Amino acid sequence: MKKRLFILFSILFLILMPFSVYAESSSPVDKLNEISDEALQMMKLKRYDDAKRLLDYFSEQYVYATGNERPFTSAELRAVTATHHEAMQAAVSTEMNYTDRVNSLTKFRLVMDTVTSASQPMWTEMESPILTVFKDVKEAAENGDTEKFHISYNSFLNLYHVVYPSIKLDISPERVQNVDTQIQYIDQYRANVISSGQPNEQLEVLEADLQSIFEDMTEDEADPSLWWVIISTGSIIILTLSYVGWRKYNGDKKKTKKQES
């Protein structure tokens, strides 16, 4: 009886253990992530004073988190500091338009998610709007529509700049530099890019590189250590249940023999 209780307790412990870990209170760094999200929501609602207060509160908690939770890398520190400063300017500005203010807070929010997220970062969700606008850029270039090309390319640049600090944290410097060079070249020589009736090779290459960056980040790659835990835990549960079943079968078999004799 005691052995059965021990086995049952072991199974329950293995099943419930992940939930007990998950139930732990959020860390100071996770709290920073939540504050950045709240600030963005306030900005979207045009509650600029509330957004500023949250950003001030973030500054206070940031000092505490970086001193007690874990040190950020130098790249993370630069990205968080720069985007937070930009978000503060957007919150207090009386000249910046609504869209630019929201973009500044979004940029900051995405950076915080990037430095705190252990899985797929939020900035990858910008793939669809960025590539959709870029298709408009290609179409305008192929049709020789100068006005539409300038408007579409400017829209693309605005969206790309929102995710750019986050991309720099997740993608190798070489790949980022390669994309930067292409974007700057097209921006500088817009007139040469616009052609009539045929696809532009430079735009095709840039689109492929952008797609590659997003695809690499959205691939569902589980941590090998996590798979090891899942497999080993599952094996223990299966073996335990098999052992209990075998004991029960053996007991029933002996009982039947006794009854027959």
Side-chain angles (χ1 to χ4, degrees):
M1 181 66 180
K2 288 183 179 180
K3 283 187 176 181
R4 289 187 180 181
L5 288 174
F6 174 76
I7 292 170
L8 179 61
F9 175 78
S10 300
I11 294 171
L12 290 173
F13 175 76
L14 288 168
I15 294 173
L16 296 176
M17 182 173 61
F19 294 97
S20 63
V21 172
Y22 181 79
E24 291 181 1
S25 59
S26 60
S27 68
V29 170
D30 291 330
K31 187 175 182 180
L32 291 177
N33 197 27
E34 293 169 4
I35 296 171
S36 70
D37 182 64
E38 292 171 7
L40 172 59
Q41 301 312 316
M42 291 301 101
M43 181 62 76
K44 287 181 177 179
L45 295 172
K46 298 185 179 181
R47 293 169 58 177
Y48 305 126
D49 290 339
D50 289 333
K52 182 184 180 302
R53 276 192 286 272
L54 283 164
L55 290 170
D56 287 334
Y57 181 53
F58 177 92
S59 298
E60 298 170 6
Q61 294 301 310
Y62 183 65
V63 174
Y64 170 73
T66 53
N68 295 276
E69 175 65 11
R70 67 170 176 84
F72 287 97
T73 66
S74 58
E76 290 172 339
L77 282 171
R78 287 194 299 270
V80 172
T81 302
T83 55
H84 177 265
H85 177 70
E86 184 178 331
M88 284 291 291
Q89 288 183 318
V92 301
S93 175
T94 57
E95 299 178 358
M96 191 179 296
N97 64 53
Y98 173 73
T99 300
D100 289 341
R101 296 175 91 167
V102 171
N103 284 347
S104 294
L105 267 292
T106 302
K107 185 187 298 185
F108 170 58
R109 172 73 183 94
L110 293 178
V111 164
M112 282 311 304
D113 173 79
T114 302
V115 301
T116 59
S117 177
S119 57
Q120 183 176 316
M122 287 176 62
W123 67 262
T124 59
E125 296 174 12
M126 295 288 287
E127 176 181 9
S128 180
I130 286 177
L131 293 180
T132 297
V133 171
F134 198 79
K135 288 185 185 302
D136 292 337
V137 172
K138 287 174 55 185
E139 182 181 324
E142 291 172 15
N143 295 333
D145 190 335
T146 303
E147 183 178 0
K148 183 180 178 182
F149 177 86
H150 290 310
I151 292 173
S152 298
Y153 199 72
N154 289 339
S155 296
F156 161 73
L157 289 177
N158 286 335
L159 288 175
Y160 184 73
H161 288 156
V162 169
V163 301
Y164 182 67
S166 299
I167 287 177
K168 287 180 67 177
L169 293 175
D170 279 336
I171 304 300
S172 68
E174 294 77 17
R175 293 182 69 185
V176 174
Q177 180 59 46
N178 178 49
V179 171
D180 284 352
T181 300
Q182 295 178 65
I183 290 175
Q184 291 169 10
Y185 179 86
I186 293 170
D187 190 29
Q188 186 174 355
Y189 299 101
R190 294 191 183 199
N192 296 336
V193 173
I194 301 173
S195 59
S196 179
Q198 59 181 10
N200 183 278
E201 183 179 348
Q202 292 162 325
L203 294 177
E204 294 286 350
V205 172
L206 177 54
E207 181 182 39
D209 287 341
L210 289 170
Q211 285 178 328
S212 176
I213 285 175
F214 283 109
E215 287 172 0
D216 288 351
M217 290 302 300
T218 54
E219 286 180 356
D220 186 16
E221 295 181 354
D223 186 346
S225 61
L226 177 60
W227 280 114
W228 183 88
V229 172
I230 293 172
I231 293 170
S232 59
T233 302
S235 300
I236 292 171
I237 293 173
I238 292 170
L239 288 172
T240 303
L241 292 175
S242 299
Y243 174 74
V244 172
W246 178 80
R247 286 289 300 273
K248 186 177 184 303
Y249 169 77
N250 244 12
D252 291 343
K253 192 174 180 181
K254 289 178 182 178
K255 189 176 178 181
T256 303
K257 284 183 177 180
K258 285 182 180 179
Q259 289 175 348
E260 291 175 351
S261 60

